[in-house]
Amino acid sequence: YLSWKAREYDFHSNFIALAAQVNENMPYHVVSRLFEISHLHNIRLKDSTILFLGVAFKKNVGDTRNSPALKIIEILNGRVGRIIYNDPHVPEVKIWGERVRSVPLTEKVLKEAAITVITAAHSAYDYHWIVEHANIIFDTRNATKGIKSPKVYRLGAPNP
C-alpha cells in the first residue's frame, strides 16, 4: 500500500518495494528452513504430520486474508504427509478448496506432530506448555523468546 501511495505522488521508494518483496518471499524461506530442520532430525516430511499454530494474518485476530501461514501450507501441499492447524481465533478455514477445522491443542496432538510451526503468536497459547510437549518447534514469530530448549528453532536464528 505504501509503495502504491508513494507512486501516486510521483515518489518511489526502493526501500518500500524491497520490504514488500521480502514479505512476499518469506513463506518460501520458511518452507526452506522447515526442510532444513527436518533433515537435521532425520524427519521425512512426506510421511509426517506438521502442526501449524495460528493461521490468522497476525496475533490475536481471526482475519486470514494474506495469511503467511496459509501461503506456507499451500507451498507444502503434496510435500508433507499431513498438515493440521490450531487457531483459537479461526475455527475453520478454506485450504486447497476444502473447509478444514482447527484441531484441539492437546498433548496428544503435539506429540503426534513431527514439527510444530508457530505462525501466529496468539496470547492464548501457553508457550512453555507447548515447548514441553511438542517434538520439534519452528517458531516463525519469536513467540518462544526467553524459552531455552534444544527443540526450539527460530526464524533467522542459528540452530540450537
Side-chain angles (χ1 to χ4, degrees), residues 55-56 61-64 85-93 101-102 122:
V55 294
V61 300
D63 189 354
T64 60
Y85 86 93
N86 171 275
D87 193 313
H89 302 282
V90 184
E92 186 177 273
V93 69
R101 297 202 52 79
S102 174
H122 295 315

Side-chain angles (χ1 to χ4, degrees), residues 80-128:
V80 173
R82 183 172 169 236
I83 294 173
I84 57 176
Y85 86 93
N86 171 275
D87 193 313
H89 302 282
V90 184
E92 186 177 273
V93 69
K94 197 169 187 178
I95 302 173
W96 309 302
E98 298 176 24
R99 293 259 173 226
V100 179
R101 297 202 52 79
S102 174
V103 299
L105 188 57
T106 64
E107 284 183 39
K108 183 179 183 214
V109 166
L110 286 167
K111 288 189 186 313
E112 287 176 355
I115 302 174
T116 298
V117 184
I118 300 171
T119 44
H122 295 315
S123 299
Y125 290 135
D126 179 345
Y127 294 104
H128 287 279

